[in-house]
Each structure stands twice: as structure tokens, then as C-alpha cells.
């Protein structure tokens, strides 16, 4: 059986598994976000921290809670990293420099997990477990919590309350992420992923050279890294490392995990708004983009333009022999269409158009299916824009799910859409204008530009994967990419929460014969077109200077 056929069979199995989980998992998430009952352990936590679990918050208060929690998370993780040389299970690893520690703390708190360091050489076990893994849970939960407020904006009427952040955060961690992580961590261990507290084992290779083999609690971090669409690897090689991703089964499982929650959330949306057809329309758009991206990346990598390149098998450059081209391409499409950022191959070694598609996936806003929570609220923002465009074409006030979309609502949606492209393009432009930062590129010309463009696209979209081929552990890059991660994470949340508050205050309007049906194929096509035109074409000039120019050359 060819590796290509094997890859397509894996894709079919993956779609089947996701389809089976769509309804039960989506319903479970909808229930935990809407129920009024609190578990005993939850009530205990609320009492300890002084939270009134039955008091909903206005959107500015909800936002302040998100920002305060994230700020404390950054400070805690920064302190842990800076002090790790004095902590237990440090394995003798020294503390990080201040600028790199700041970049890392920002990275994991914002669900980006950008790594300008080698995991096994820069982090001890305690920091990996108590710092990075904990942020993998809570940063994913923050994204789902913000998503819940936007859905409540559509479902609530004549109120200024959008939910309670502390209740949402607690329930998502305890009732969703933690149980799934425990179950699938055991599956990963059974599949060969290591889980221990060993340090470095000094061995002698067959060539007679010394080598240090690291151990660690890998499976427990690997599972939430994928499940929470985080992406930070325990080892520098990330999911290409055999200790993190030993074989084809664990590789398929990891792709399944990073897609599981984002693809189930449209069902949650449908359940919460009382119309499952709305969820089907959203997941159809997500599925179309995901299938198209996986197919195109696989096509470009299998073809790998050039007779000499094909004869030499150059399509396998930068890819693991254990997985092959098709499984690596499927992973690349999935990790860049979500905010995961985990990699099982070297995106810098992809063909120009294959690598360009990984950049384009992130530029779309990672909405197909996107990160945990962030993918769905990004898609709903674009759905609002699509409805507004349709309203302009027929000359009537647009409305979505019974809520009118006026000037206030569209300003929030527009600011959301403009935020990330501004960060990406301005950051890339400044980097290319500075001679010292251009010198950090290991490649010249269009490919070198793609490396810089990928870095800022990954940071601003909170993906975290790297095109590589660029030296980023410098004061300037650590600072600039850190700012891109912070602004790319929290500015969009401001506009999402503000939009949720504006929608919740409205009185719903009844549907009329002139109301655009947002659950039919027409809307699926309209929304897909808006995504490509409004979002995709924003970046076309930058793409033309990078991967497109390289591919045509």
C-alpha cells in the first residue's frame, strides 16, 4: 500500500471519528456552559477564591476578569522560569534570560506556545508540569469561555449580563479538558509515548560518541498540548520526536485531538441558540476549508515541482519516515488551520506552494476549525460580516439569529478583522526594514521573506509553529513577537466581548420573508466567499512577495 493511499485512508478514518464525536461532545459542552448546577468541588473552589457563582457579569467586568487572570498567569510563569535553577526537578537546567523568559510566559498564556528554545535543554520537569502544562489547560479554557459569551449575546435579550468568567473557566477545565486529557494520556502511553520523571541518561552510540537521552512526563503534556490547541513541545523536535509521537497510530490520534473540540463547538453553538442547523452550516464551512487545505498541501508535496526533485524524493525533505508525505501534510494543514502550532515535519522544507498554504491557513484567522473557542468566535464574526454584506446587496437592515447588525455591531466586527493583519504586516515590514533583523534570516530572497512573514503570522494568530530558518532568540524578536502574541490574543477578545454585550442588550426581531436563512447552502457559500475575499485577499501582496514568488520562480 502506497504512503499516499495510507494517508487518504487515515483522513477518512479521522473524518469518521470526528463525526462520531460531533454530537455528544458538542452537547456536553453546551450543557456545562448553560446548567445552573455546580459540582461540590466547584463550590469549594468558588468559596476559596470568593466568587459568587450565581452572579453574572457585564462584558467589561468579564473582560477585566480575563485580563487579570492572564496577567497573573504571565507573572507566575515568568517567575517560575526565571527561578527554575533553584527548584526541584530542574535537572540542572539554568534559568532563562529575561527577554526569552518573558516571551515564553506570554507565549503559553496566550495559547500561542511559540518556542524560541529547545524544550529538553531549557526546561526542567517542574516548569514543564506546573508552568507550561497548567497554562495549556487554562489558556484553552479562556478561549472557550470568551466564545460562550458571544453565543450568549445571541441568546440573551434586554440584558447587560454575558456570564461569569470564573464559573466558565472552572467548569471548562474540570468538566471538559481534564477528563479528556486523563483518558487520552493513557492512550498515548499505551501507544508508546513516554511518561516518567527520569533525567538525562548518558549513552554511547554505535559510532562511539556520547549522547544524552532525556526523559520526562511527556504524555500528560502532549495530550493537552493537542487537545487545547496549544502546540508547545516537550522536546525541540515537537511531534516529530519519537518520545512525543512514536508511530502512525499516535500521529493520527494527535491530529484527532487537536481537531476534536474545535469541530465539536459548532454543535455547541447550535444547541445554545436553539437551532442545530446553524451549527451544521458553520461546521460545513470549516470542513470545506480543512479538506481543501489538506488536499492541496498533499498535492503540492507529492508533486514537488521539478523532475530532479521528484527523482531524488525531495518531497520527503524535512518529513519523518515514520509518517510519510500524506500524513505529514495532513498534520501541517490541521495544525495551521487551528491555533495548535504543533508540528511533525519541517514546514520550512515544504514546497513553495505547500509552505505558502500553511501561512495562508493562519492568515485566514485559524477558523477551520480554529483554536478552542477562538476558532468559533472568529467564524461567527465573519458570519456577522457575511450577513451584513448580504443585507447591503438587497437593501435591508441585516440581522443574524434575530439580532440586528447596526453600526455599533459592525464596528466591533471590523476592528476584530483588522487587528491581526495590522500586527502581521506591520511587524513583518519593520523586521524587513531593520538590517540587523534581516541578518537573522538563514535564507535570502523570497524564501527568507516567507520565514519572517510566517513568524509574525504565527505569533499574531496565536499559532506558535515556526517556519524555522530564522534566528528569533534575540532581544528584538523576543520583544516584537511577544507584543504580537499579546495584542493578537487580547485585542480580538475585547471586540468579541463588546459585540456580545451589544447583542445581549437587544430585543430580538422576528424572522420575515426577507430574512436571510443562515442555515442553508446559500449561506455556506456566501460565508466561504467572504472569508476568502475579506480576509484572504488582505494578505495577497505579502504572499506574492514570499511563497508565490518563490513557487513561480
Amino acid at each position: 500500500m502506497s504512503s499516499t493511499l495510507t494517508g487518504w485512508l487515515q483522513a477518512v478514518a479521522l473524518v469518521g471519528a470526528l463525526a462520531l464525536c460531533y454530537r455528544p461532545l458538542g452537547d456536553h459542552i453546551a450543557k456545562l456552559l448553560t446548567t445552573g448546577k455546580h459540582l461540590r468541588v466547584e463550590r469549594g473552589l468558588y468559596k476559596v477564591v470568593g466568587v459568587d457563582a450565581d452572579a453574572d457579569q457585564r462584558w467589561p467586568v468579564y473582560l477585566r476578569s480575563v485580563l487579570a487572570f492572564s496577567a497573573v498567569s504571565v507573572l507566575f510563569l515568568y517567575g517560575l522560569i526565571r527561578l527554575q535553577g533553584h527548584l526541584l526537578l530542574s535537572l540542572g537546567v539554568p534559568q532563562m534570560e529575561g527577554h526569552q523568559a518573558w516571551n515564553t510566559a506570554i507565549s503559553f498564556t496566550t495559547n500561542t506556545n511559540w518556542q524560541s528554545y529547545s524544550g529538553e535543554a531549557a526546561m526542567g520537569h517542574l516548569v514543564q508540569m506546573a508552568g507550561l502544562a497548567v497554562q495549556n489547560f487554562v489558556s484553552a479554557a479562556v478561549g472557550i469561555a470568551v466564545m460562550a459569551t458571544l453565543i450568549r449575546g445571541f441568546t440573551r435579550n434586554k440584558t447587560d449580563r454575558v456570564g461569569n468568567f470564573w464559573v466558565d473557566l472552572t467548569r471548562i477545565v474540570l468538566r471538559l479538558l481534564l477528563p479528556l486529557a486523563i483518558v487520552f494520556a493513557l492512550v498515548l502511553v499505551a501507544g508508546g509515548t513516554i511518561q516518567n520523571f527520569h533525567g538525562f541518561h548518558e549513552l554511547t552510540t554505535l559510532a562511539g560518541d556520547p549522547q544524552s537521552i532525556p526523559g520526562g512526563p511527556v504524555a500528560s503534556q502532549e495530550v493537552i498540548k493537542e487537545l487545547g490547541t496549544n502546540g508547545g513541545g516537550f522536546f525541540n523536535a515537537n511531534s516529530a520526536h519519537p518520545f512525543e509521537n512514536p508511530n502512525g497510530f499516535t500521529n493520527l490520534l494527535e491530529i484527532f485531538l487537536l481537531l476534536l473540540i474545535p469541530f465539536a463547538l459548532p454543535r455547541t453553538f447550535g444547541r445554545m441558540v436553539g437551532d442545530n442547523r446553524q451549527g451544521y452550516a458553520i461546521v460545513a464551512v470549516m470542513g470545506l476549508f480543512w479538506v481543501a487545505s489538506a488536499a492541496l498541501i498533499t498535492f503540492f508535496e507529492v508533486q514537488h515541482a521539478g523532475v530532479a526533485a521528484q527523482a531524488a524524493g525531495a518531497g520527503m525533505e524535512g518529513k519523518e519516515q515514520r509518517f510519510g508525505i500524506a500524513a505529514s501534510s495532513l498534520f501541517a494543514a490541521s495544525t495551521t488551520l487551528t491555533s495548535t502550532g504543533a508540528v511533525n515535519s519541517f514546514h520550512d522544507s515544504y514546497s513553495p506552494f505547500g509552505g505558502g498554504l500553511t501561512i495562508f491557513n493562519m492568515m485566514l484567522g485559524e477558523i477551520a476549525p480554529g483554536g478552542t473557542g477562538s476558532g468559533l468566535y472568529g467564524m461567527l464574526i465573519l458570519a456577522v460580516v457575511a450577513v451584513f454584506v448580504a443585507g447591503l446587496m438587497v437593501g435591508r437592515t441585516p440581522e443574524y439569529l434575530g439580532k440586528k447588525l447596526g453600526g455599533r455591531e459592525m464596528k466591533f466586527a471590523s476592528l476584530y478583522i483588522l487587528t491581526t493583519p495590522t500586527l502581521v504586516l506591520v511587524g513583518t515590514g519593520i523586521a524587513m526594514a531593520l538590517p540587523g533583523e534581516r541578518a537573522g534570516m538563514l535564507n535570502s530572497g523570497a524564501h527568507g521573506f516567507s520565514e519572517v512573514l510566517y513568524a509574525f503570522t504565527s505569533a499574531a494568530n496565536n499559532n506558535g509553529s515556526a517556519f524555522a530558518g530564522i534566528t528569533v532568540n534575540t532581544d528584538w524578536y523576543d520583544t516584537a513577537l511577544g507584543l504580537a502574541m499579546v495584542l493578537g490574543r487580547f485585542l480580538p477578545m475585547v471586540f468579541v466581548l463588546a459585540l456580545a454585550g451589544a447583542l445581549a442588550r437587544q430585543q430580538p426581531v422576528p424572522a420575515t420573508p426577507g430574512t436571510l436563512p443562515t442555515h442553508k447552502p446559500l449561506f455556506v457559500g456566501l460565508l466561504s466567499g467572504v472569508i476568502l475575499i475579506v480576509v484572504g485577499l488582505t494578505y495577497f501582496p505579502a504572499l506574492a512577495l514570499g511563497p508565490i514568488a518563490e513557487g513561480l520562480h
Side-chain angles (χ1 to χ4, degrees):
M1 184 182 295
S2 68
S3 61
T4 303
L5 178 58
T6 302
W8 285 113
L9 290 176
Q10 288 181 345
V12 171
L14 181 62
V15 171
L18 292 170
L20 287 175
C21 297
Y22 173 77
R23 181 171 180 173
L25 183 58
D27 289 350
H28 172 67
I29 300 172
K31 183 178 179 180
L32 72 88
L33 290 175
T34 55
T35 183
K37 297 181 179 179
H38 308 292
L39 301 180
R40 181 176 298 178
V41 64
E42 294 170 351
R43 289 197 297 269
L45 289 173
Y46 301 147
K47 186 175 181 179
V48 169
V49 298
V51 171
D52 183 357
D54 297 315
D56 279 357
Q57 300 170 318
R58 296 180 298 109
W59 79 261
V61 179
Y62 201 104
L63 174 62
R64 288 199 295 271
S65 300
V66 170
L67 296 179
F69 177 77
S70 300
V72 171
S73 297
V74 169
L75 293 175
F76 174 79
L77 185 54
Y78 176 83
L80 202 62
I81 294 171
R82 293 284 285 163
L83 295 172
Q84 74 165 342
H86 306 286
L87 302 176
L88 296 174
L89 299 175
S90 67
L91 307 182
V93 177
Q95 67 182 26
M96 273 188 179
E97 293 296 326
H99 60 87
Q100 191 176 26
W102 180 83
N103 181 278
T104 303
I106 290 292
S107 173
F108 278 80
T109 303
T110 58
N111 200 242
T112 311
N113 298 63
W114 172 270
Q115 294 176 286
S116 61
Y117 61 89
S118 298
E120 62 268 49
M123 294 292 181
H125 291 346
L126 183 64
V127 174
Q128 293 271 22
M129 293 184 298
L132 307 188
V134 168
Q135 287 307 312
N136 285 347
F137 278 95
V138 295
S139 65
V142 168
I144 300 175
V146 173
M147 173 216 72
T149 65
L150 183 56
I151 300 177
R152 292 181 187 125
F154 288 109
T155 60
R156 295 184 176 184
N157 307 314
K158 300 177 69 175
T159 180
D160 59 353
R161 309 289 166 163
V162 294
N164 187 311
F165 170 73
W166 307 106
V167 172
D168 289 339
L169 179 73
T170 303
R171 288 180 175 179
I172 292 164
V173 171
L174 295 184
R175 302 193 197 185
L176 175 65
L177 297 176
L178 194 58
L180 288 175
I182 291 172
V183 171
F184 285 109
L186 295 175
V187 177
L188 282 176
V189 170
T193 305
I194 68 170
Q195 180 74 12
N196 55 55
F197 290 101
H198 297 166
F200 290 91
H201 290 281
E202 302 298 329
L203 304 175
T204 302
T205 66
L206 293 176
D209 298 321
Q211 184 176 2
S212 297
I213 305 296
V218 178
S220 57
Q221 183 163 323
E222 186 73 10
V223 66
I224 191 57
K225 152 191 150 181
E226 310 293 6
L227 189 64
T229 63
N230 297 280
F234 197 96
F235 301 105
N236 187 44
N238 207 280
S239 289
H241 198 291
F243 288 178
E244 288 194 34
N245 192 4
N247 50 58
F249 166 73
T250 57
N251 186 66
L252 186 62
L253 178 62
E254 290 192 13
I255 301 174
F256 168 77
L257 289 175
L258 64 90
L259 294 172
L260 178 60
I261 294 176
F263 262 128
L265 288 177
R267 172 71 180 190
T268 301
F269 169 63
R271 289 281 291 182
M272 290 179 69
V273 300
D275 186 355
N276 290 327
R277 299 174 301 175
Q278 303 294 336
Y280 294 140
I282 295 297
V283 81
V285 177
M286 291 178 170
L288 285 173
F289 278 94
W290 178 73
V291 170
S293 177
L296 286 172
I297 292 177
T298 303
F299 171 79
F300 288 127
E301 294 310 298
V302 169
Q303 296 300 314
H304 209 289
V307 176
Q310 292 185 38
M316 276 299 295
E317 179 188 340
K319 299 179 180 66
E320 269 291 314
Q321 293 286 342
R322 288 172 292 143
F323 308 135
I325 293 176
S328 298
S329 300
L330 182 63
F331 200 113
S334 300
T335 196
T336 51
L337 279 171
T338 61
S339 65
T340 308
V343 293
N344 75 344
S345 57
F346 202 44
H347 292 182
D348 191 40
S349 296
Y350 276 47
S351 63
F353 290 125
L357 277 170
T358 63
I359 303 175
F360 184 69
N361 287 344
M362 294 184 290
M363 287 176 170
L364 288 178
E366 299 168 330
I367 53 174
T372 50
S374 61
L376 181 58
Y377 67 63
M379 182 64 83
L380 293 179
I381 292 289
L382 288 166
V384 166
V385 175
V387 172
F388 182 76
V389 170
L392 292 178
M393 289 191 293
V394 298
R396 60 172 284 125
T397 302
E399 56 191 63
Y400 186 39
L401 300 177
K403 297 298 178 75
K404 288 186 176 182
L405 304 176
R408 181 182 179 85
E409 290 76 17
M410 293 314 302
K411 287 175 184 176
F412 292 138
S414 300
L415 288 170
Y416 177 96
I417 292 173
L418 291 172
T419 297
T420 305
T422 301
L423 295 172
V424 172
L425 298 177
V426 170
T428 303
I430 294 174
M432 295 303 297
L434 298 175
E437 309 317 321
R438 285 203 309 273
M441 299 187 307
L442 302 184
N443 294 279
S444 59
H447 193 82
F449 176 78
S450 295
E451 294 169 353
V452 177
L453 180 63
Y454 192 109
F456 278 95
T457 304
S458 177
N461 284 281
N462 302 130
N463 183 275
S465 63
F467 212 49
I470 180 175
T471 302
V472 292
N473 185 24
T474 65
D475 289 356
W476 190 86
Y477 268 117
D478 278 335
T479 302
L481 293 175
L483 290 173
M485 287 185 276
V486 170
L487 297 176
R489 174 69 164 178
F490 296 113
L491 275 182
M493 285 186 174
V494 172
F495 304 132
V496 169
L497 290 168
L499 178 59
L503 293 172
R505 283 195 295 269
Q506 289 188 27
Q507 174 70 29
V509 296
T512 66
T515 300
L516 174 69
T518 54
H519 60 275
K520 295 185 177 181
L522 175 64
F523 181 72
V524 171
L526 175 65
L527 179 53
S528 300
V530 165
I531 292 169
L532 290 174
I533 295 171
V534 175
V535 182
L537 291 184
T538 303
Y539 295 98
F540 185 79
L543 291 170
L545 293 173
I548 296 177
E550 184 184 3
L552 294 177
H553 177 73

